[in-house]
Amino acid sequence: MSHSQGQHFLQIPGPSPVPERVMRAMDRQVIDHRGPTFQKLGQDVLAGCQLVFKTKQPVIIFPSSGTGAWEAAIVNTLSPGDKVLMCETGHFATLWQQMAKRFGLEVEFLPGDWRRGADAAAIEAKLAEDKTHSFKAVMVVHNETSTGATSRIGAIRKAIDNAKHPALFLVDTISSLGSVDFRHDEWGVDVTVSCSQKGLMLPPGLGFNAISEKARAAAKTNKMPRSYWDWEEMLKPNASGFFPYTPATTLLYGLQEALAMLQEEGLDQVFRRHHRLAAATRAAVRAWGLEVLCVEPSEYSPVLTAALMPEGHDADRFRKITLETCNLSLGTGLAKLAGKVFRIGHLGDCNEVVLLGALAGIERGLSAAGVPHKPGGVTAAIADLAGRNDVEATLAAE
Ligand code: PLP
């Protein structure tokens, strides 16, 4: 059966669909990246990024994927042999930990069950024990894209402060920025790592580091060799809107448009929309009789929902059948979750009808794949959305 008719539903947790407006904004000739038109674009996007990261400090934009931005955070702030504290929230935290080891860092990896966010109390206890301040950094993934659990970054900041520990705080917001509230300055984050293809609604290709004064000071004395990723090399030309090498001009045009869209909707409204869509998705998953992987309600991800398959049923077979039947792409289970979960992305340029279409596709796919489930997930999601809209309307009227 062909599955190329009609709209493709890209409901993976990133890359997320690129809005028409952003595509049109990128559909332009490249320009002289040393000229005055580029300078205006550079100044505009560098300033616009500060609003989304909620920082008055510089935001650095690399032509890279999120993994490159991870590397930039490490090589600018840490030295081989430094001890760092990380939390096993899932696959992406595990990969960042592997990268840290490759750079010669000594990682203490707090174990986790891949069903909740990072444990602020465990971080506080580890830091409180560390009287000699041997930990140079705490490194956490904000939204663990492999599991659908969002760590409480504000609570982790408090944990570091309670332990009176001077460690740098490095946070991966690769799948949360622009979808979940994040406050670089207020939460005392030293390096915020992010990328373009999720909440920012762009194609893959831009990596970000938002940095603090403390991180910049650490970069002046740390011993890790670096060249391409060096912040100071970037900050000098950035001060006047330029880049030290050829920037990804076309993606920067897209970024300018995406930032405008986020400002027009208003970040708080964007975050509320993500919460609403996530809650409706969980209502659908439960109505089908499936289990949501994340077990901590205060850590349910507004970005994606991972659903556990019934025992003996392969999630990837179901995903394949859903793609063939409904032209709908769902996220695969990663690493130890392979075959056990499927992930529903509800981030970025998503609205109620797109989500309900995707949920209808899932319900259809579950039937087509012979996965035991109860019907009614879509109905439950509609009821959930209607209930939430009523609450919001009441609040707005008060
Ligand atoms: N960190 C998180 C939380 C992610 O979700 C991803 C990718 O999905 C990455 C890191 C890696 O980013 P990239 O694939 O852009 O290198």
Side-chain angles (χ1 to χ4, degrees):
M1 187 199 293
S2 163
H3 54 266
S4 57
Q5 294 87 24
Q7 185 196 320
H8 177 66
F9 279 74
L10 182 65
Q11 299 299 140
I12 62 173
S16 66
V18 178
E20 279 297 317
R21 264 178 73 173
V22 173
M23 283 197 276
R24 296 289 82 83
M26 291 188 301
D27 186 10
R28 299 169 76 160
Q29 184 56 275
V30 285
I31 54 171
D32 173 12
H33 61 285
R34 314 258 184 227
T37 307
F38 182 88
Q39 182 174 31
K40 168 85 186 57
L41 171 66
Q43 286 170 331
D44 206 37
V45 292
L46 288 165
C49 282
Q50 289 177 313
L51 301 176
V52 180
F53 285 86
K54 298 195 178 170
T55 183
K56 295 197 163 46
Q57 304 296 319
V59 177
I60 285 174
I61 309 174
F62 292 109
S64 82
S65 81
T67 304
W70 266 351
E71 179 159 334
I74 290 175
V75 298
N76 278 285
T77 56
L78 297 162
S79 301
D82 278 354
K83 254 180 91 174
V84 297
L85 184 61
M86 300 182 80
C87 301
E88 188 198 358
T89 46
H91 178 61
F92 289 103
T94 305
L95 289 182
W96 202 14
Q97 174 248 187
Q98 282 166 4
M99 177 188 275
K101 284 185 175 160
R102 289 191 195 120
F103 279 108
L105 304 179
E106 196 190 311
V107 183
E108 172 126 15
F109 202 33
L110 292 175
D113 64 0
W114 295 37
R115 298 196 72 168
R116 65 196 83 228
D119 181 348
I123 292 173
E124 184 172 335
K126 273 285 162 205
L127 295 180
E129 272 169 24
D130 180 31
K131 300 289 180 222
T132 60
H133 295 166
S134 64
F135 285 118
K136 297 301 173 212
V138 175
M139 297 162 68
V140 175
V141 174
H142 185 199
N143 185 71
E144 183 46 85
T145 325
S146 61
T147 65
T150 307
S151 291
R152 285 164 284 183
I153 300 302
I156 297 173
R157 173 74 259 169
K158 280 205 189 83
I160 300 171
D161 291 346
N162 289 345
K164 298 190 173 49
H165 201 290
L168 293 166
F169 191 19
L170 276 49
V171 181
D172 167 341
T173 65
I174 284 173
S175 64
S176 58
L177 191 83
S179 299
V180 187
D181 191 17
F182 179 79
R183 308 172 188 185
H184 178 87
D185 285 357
E186 188 182 324
W187 292 341
V189 179
D190 293 298
V191 189
T192 300
V193 174
S194 204
C195 72
S196 52
Q197 72 269 22
K198 314 241 185 196
L200 291 180
M201 306 176 286
L202 293 165
L206 296 179
F208 300 88
N209 279 176
I211 60 185
S212 71
E213 270 174 34
K214 189 171 153 191
R216 211 168 156 185
K220 296 217 164 98
T221 56
N222 82 319
K223 303 268 181 324
M224 201 77 85
R226 59 184 180 270
S227 172
Y228 181 80
W229 302 115
D230 194 273
W231 289 340
E232 289 303 321
E233 288 301 309
M234 187 63 111
L235 288 168
K236 274 178 256 163
N238 273 183
S240 52
F242 292 113
F243 286 70
Y245 41 69
T246 316
T249 313
T250 313
L251 285 170
L252 296 181
Y253 276 130
L255 176 60
Q256 191 176 39
E257 193 67 20
L259 291 170
M261 287 176 69
L262 291 172
Q263 291 307 315
E264 282 166 27
E265 186 178 354
L267 283 178
D268 289 343
Q269 188 54 36
V270 171
F271 302 149
R272 271 202 293 277
R273 172 167 55 81
H274 281 75
H275 274 291
R276 237 188 4 256
L277 299 179
T281 306
R282 292 192 297 274
V285 169
R286 293 191 178 117
W288 291 321
L290 302 182
E291 199 182 333
V292 173
L293 180 67
C294 179
V295 288
E296 175 54 54
S298 62
E299 294 173 338
Y300 286 148
S301 172
V303 171
L304 77 141
T305 302
L308 278 160
M309 288 297 278
E311 202 64 45
H313 292 267
D314 179 18
D316 286 336
R317 180 177 168 273
F318 153 71
R319 286 177 50 254
K320 180 170 180 289
I321 291 171
T322 306
L323 175 61
E324 286 169 358
T325 319
C326 302
N327 201 3
L328 162 65
S329 289
L330 297 166
T332 186
L334 293 166
K336 72 177 189 185
L337 295 172
K340 297 195 168 67
V341 303
F342 63 93
R343 295 174 300 146
I344 309 163
H346 31 73
L347 67 155
D349 190 34
C350 190
N351 65 21
E352 294 188 8
V353 176
V354 169
L355 179 74
L356 291 169
L359 296 175
I362 295 171
E363 199 159 321
R364 168 87 176 88
L366 289 170
S367 299
V371 178
H373 69 286
K374 289 182 262 172
V378 177
T379 308
I382 292 172
D384 192 89
L385 288 167
R388 276 168 213 283
N389 288 344
D390 287 351
V391 170
E392 290 199 3
T394 313
L395 287 175
E398 273 167 8

